[in-house]
């Protein structure tokens, strides 16, 4: 997939496209054959522009069009899906007076790219997203740079409106990076406990946590899931994917933890990787990391085992691996699933 595509349809557009190509070297500039000036850095196309724009819309992460806003809207409208999948779309006028963020301003990055282009070519950026105009928090982007996931995005629109309208917003953070904001808007307050936040006059809430949240509170909250949990796995060579998944799910449910916050599965480095763990990682779309037995043996774990030491050369696998990789706090001590699995969970330190 092309990262950024530039589509031009006029002679002036070709000149601006060449200027953009000089500034942003990895961008691809497309122009119709009839305007060809033999510049080898421009991709000259022969099909109708109405077809080309659809192709680029579907293949690009960002699409920059150097022709009228109305024409762009009419051409791409039948192909719009949602803000999570549509590319960023930006329009630049033929005299490069304005750079307009048209589509996927936040999630697609159009607003940020609009500002960058305008600064580079000396144009006026046009951004109409309320959060940007009002210089407040874009609640759908909080933690995005840290790979936080939103549990349920159905409440984003409502809480975005509360933020823009300067309604009181409460924040509670229990996990994840702490430097996600520079300065909070005056209507946003941080609370040390969920109880304190619930007792406040907040109209809605932002919750950053790897814990399962009370269902009543969720209705008025955006819950962000940071990748904060490291799952330590002690296992035999024949432990199956199904056994591992069942053990993990049992522990998450028992200790009220969210599967969306799992950062890694970790275990001891064996002469041959256990296929069940490989398969579990692939199915869960979570990376698997292995730790040498010598490094595990140096970790002080709360539940060492002489039996494990006899077979593995270290008294702890699941707990030690979770502590070692997370560099943080063990929050679920070793849970046994006889005869061939143990699970422990640590929270990544910040």
């Amino acid at each position: 997939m092309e990262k950024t595509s530039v589509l031009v349809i006029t002679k002036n557009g070709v000149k601006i496209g060449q200027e953009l190509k000089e500034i942003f070297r990895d961008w691809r500039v497309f122009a119709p054959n009839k305007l060809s000036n033999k510049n080898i850095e421009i991709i000259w196309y022969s099909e109708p522009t109405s077809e080309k724009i659809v192709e680029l819309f579907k293949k690009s992460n960002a699409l920059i069009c150097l022709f009228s806003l109305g024409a762009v809207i009419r051409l791409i409208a039948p192909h719009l899906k949602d803000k999570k999948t549509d590319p960023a779309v930006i329009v630049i006028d033929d005299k490069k007076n304005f750079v307009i963020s048209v589509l996927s301003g936040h999630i697609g990055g159009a607003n940020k790219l609009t500002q960058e282009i305008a600064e580079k070519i000396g144009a006026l950026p046009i951004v109409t997203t309320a959060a940007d105009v009002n210089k407040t928090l874009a609640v759908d982007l909080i933690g995005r740079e840290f790979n936080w996931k939103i549990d349920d995005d159905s409440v984003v629109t409502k809480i975005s409106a509360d933020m823009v309208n300067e309604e009181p917003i409460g924040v509670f953070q229990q996990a994840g990076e702490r430097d996600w904001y520079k300065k909070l808007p005056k209507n946003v307050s941080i609370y040390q406990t969920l109880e304190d936040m619930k007792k406040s006059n907040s109209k809605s809430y932002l919750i950053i946590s790897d814990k399962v949240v009370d269902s009543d509170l969720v209705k008025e909250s955006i819950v962000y899931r940071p990748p904060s949990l490291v799952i330590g796995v002690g296992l035999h060579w024949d432990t199956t994917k199904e056994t591992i998944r069942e053990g993990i799910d049992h522990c998450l449910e028992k200790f009220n933890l969210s599967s969306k916050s799992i950062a890694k599965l970790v275990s001891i480095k064996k002469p041959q990787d256990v296929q069940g763990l490989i398969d579990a990682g692939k199915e869960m779309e979570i990376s698997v990391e292995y730790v040498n037995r010598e490094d595990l043996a140096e970790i002080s774990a709360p539940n060492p085992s002489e039996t494990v030491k006899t077979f593995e050369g270290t008294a702890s696998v699941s707990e030690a691996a979770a502590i070692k990789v997370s560099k943080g706090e063990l929050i679920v001590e070793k849970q046994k699933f006889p005869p061939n699995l143990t699970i422990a969970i640590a929270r990544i330190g910040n």
Side-chain angles (χ1 to χ4, degrees):
M1 174 178 280
E2 287 105 24
K3 185 177 181 181
T4 301
S5 300
V6 180
L7 181 61
V8 305
I9 61 171
T10 67
K11 289 184 177 179
N12 269 344
V14 171
K15 294 177 183 177
I16 299 169
Q18 291 174 172
E19 181 181 347
L20 290 172
K21 179 68 175 177
E22 290 174 4
I23 299 169
F24 304 97
R25 296 302 301 171
D26 60 338
W27 289 8
R28 303 181 74 189
V29 180
F30 298 83
N33 270 335
K34 64 182 180 181
L35 300 177
S36 178
N37 60 12
K38 309 302 182 184
N39 186 324
I40 61 173
E41 292 202 321
I42 291 180
I43 300 168
W44 306 99
Y45 63 88
S46 56
E47 62 265 51
T49 295
S50 58
E51 295 179 9
K52 194 66 182 178
I53 192 172
V54 173
E55 174 195 334
L56 296 178
F57 180 84
K58 292 179 177 179
K59 291 172 62 177
S60 306
N61 291 332
L63 175 60
I64 299 165
C65 299
L66 279 79
F67 49 101
S68 81
L69 175 60
V72 171
I73 291 173
R74 283 192 294 273
L75 289 169
I76 67 172
H79 308 282
L80 301 181
K81 293 182 179 178
D82 59 65
K83 64 181 181 179
K84 290 184 285 188
T85 56
D86 292 333
V89 176
I90 293 169
V91 167
I92 303 175
D93 70 280
D94 206 47
K95 294 294 184 181
K96 63 175 186 179
N97 292 314
F98 306 104
V99 182
I100 308 169
S101 176
V102 178
L103 188 68
S104 294
H106 279 317
I107 294 178
N111 292 353
K112 183 178 179 181
L113 189 55
T114 291
Q115 299 281 358
E116 185 178 1
I117 294 170
E119 183 179 343
K120 297 288 187 182
I121 67 174
L124 180 67
I126 306 296
V127 175
T128 59
T129 310
D132 291 272
V133 172
N134 289 282
K135 305 295 183 184
T136 192
L137 288 178
V139 296
D140 52 347
L141 290 187
I142 290 174
R144 190 181 184 194
E145 63 185 297
F146 305 120
N147 296 316
W148 294 0
K149 299 173 183 175
I150 293 178
D151 228 6
D152 177 8
D153 60 9
S154 65
V155 295
V156 166
T157 300
K158 173 194 175 299
I159 296 178
S160 292
D162 287 345
M163 185 69 73
V164 169
N165 291 326
E166 298 187 342
E167 299 287 355
I169 307 288
V171 177
F172 170 73
Q173 181 169 9
Q174 164 268 328
E177 292 81 358
R178 301 281 170 168
D179 56 346
W180 55 270
Y181 64 90
K182 293 180 181 178
K183 183 179 180 181
L184 289 175
K186 60 183 180 182
N187 62 309
V188 178
S189 301
I190 294 178
Y191 296 90
Q192 298 305 308
T193 69
L194 282 174
E195 286 303 314
D196 288 344
M197 188 172 71
K198 285 195 286 186
K199 292 175 184 176
S200 72
N201 68 336
S202 300
K203 185 172 182 179
S204 54
Y205 312 101
L206 308 179
I207 299 174
I208 306 156
S209 175
D210 53 31
K211 302 278 287 184
V212 174
V213 180
D214 176 79
S215 58
D216 290 333
L217 192 60
V218 165
K219 296 174 184 177
E220 305 297 330
S221 307
I222 298 179
V223 181
Y224 304 90
R225 298 301 188 189
S228 55
L229 302 177
V230 174
I231 310 290
V233 183
L235 72 177
H236 295 179
W237 66 271
D238 59 348
T239 306
T240 65
K241 171 192 70 177
E242 290 76 18
T243 298
I244 295 169
R245 290 295 307 269
E246 288 172 7
I248 292 173
D249 290 345
H250 175 85
C251 290
L252 293 175
E253 183 176 359
K254 180 179 179 180
F255 294 94
N256 296 315
L257 296 167
S258 171
S259 62
K260 292 181 181 178
S261 283
I262 300 175
K264 287 182 180 180
L265 306 180
V266 297
S267 190
I268 189 170
K269 179 64 178 174
K270 293 177 178 287
Q272 185 174 346
D273 295 341
V274 176
Q275 190 62 46
L277 186 56
I278 295 171
D279 293 341
K282 287 180 179 178
E283 190 173 279
M284 298 171 72
E285 298 183 342
I286 296 170
S287 64
V288 179
E289 184 174 330
Y290 301 98
V291 185
N292 292 327
R293 69 186 70 251
E294 296 82 8
D295 294 325
L296 294 179
E298 295 176 355
I299 301 296
S300 177
N303 298 288
S305 166
E306 286 301 320
T307 302
V308 172
K309 187 174 183 179
T310 299
F311 284 98
E312 300 287 10
T314 175
S316 174
V317 172
S318 58
E319 290 181 337
I323 294 169
K324 174 72 176 178
V325 173
S326 70
K327 299 182 175 65
E329 170 194 8
L330 191 69
I331 58 173
V332 174
E333 294 188 5
K334 180 170 63 178
Q335 305 293 300
K336 298 179 181 180
F337 302 91
N340 58 3
L341 178 70
T342 61
I343 298 290
I345 305 176
R347 181 175 290 128
I348 293 172
N350 290 308

